[in-house]
Amino acid sequence: MTDWAWDYNPSQEYVIDGLPVGVVAEVERLATELPALGDEATRVGRPIDREGGLREFDILGGRGFICFLAVPRHTCVYVCNVTWYG
């Protein structure tokens, strides 16, 4: 278990406002699991050829994706954007 946490960046309203409840639940489920990886969260998702920076992860079978930023010095994963194709 790590001491990492997660949060929305810049705000919860900006990132998930207007999304269906099921999509929000999936985003928050993933956001809860990513901090458990600790420093490894900088390596999961796309792009696969480098670590750090803004990362992407498909959600709900490719019907959308989340963008997140894992910041080791803050020990936090920030969910920055959610794209939902519906």
Side-chain angles (χ1 to χ4, degrees):
M1 191 72 185
T2 69
D3 59 348
W4 281 55
W6 74 274
D7 198 1
Y8 290 106
N9 185 7
S11 69
Q12 180 177 357
E13 294 79 23
Y14 178 84
V15 177
I16 62 169
D17 192 36
L19 291 174
V21 174
V23 174
V24 173
E26 178 66 3
V27 167
E28 292 183 351
R29 183 189 70 79
L30 286 172
T32 302
E33 291 182 10
L34 286 169
L37 298 172
D39 288 336
E40 293 295 315
T42 62
R43 297 179 190 92
V44 299
R46 290 183 302 264
I48 58 173
D49 58 342
R50 67 178 195 276
E51 71 178 65
L54 196 61
R55 317 293 297 173
E56 293 180 353
F57 223 63
D58 286 340
I59 58 172
L60 298 170
R63 294 173 54 198
F65 62 92
I66 65 169
C67 295
F68 64 94
L69 188 61
V71 183
R73 73 172 180 257
H74 293 179
T75 61
C76 191
V77 173
Y78 296 102
V79 177
C80 302
N81 189 38
V82 177
T83 301
W84 177 243
Y85 302 121

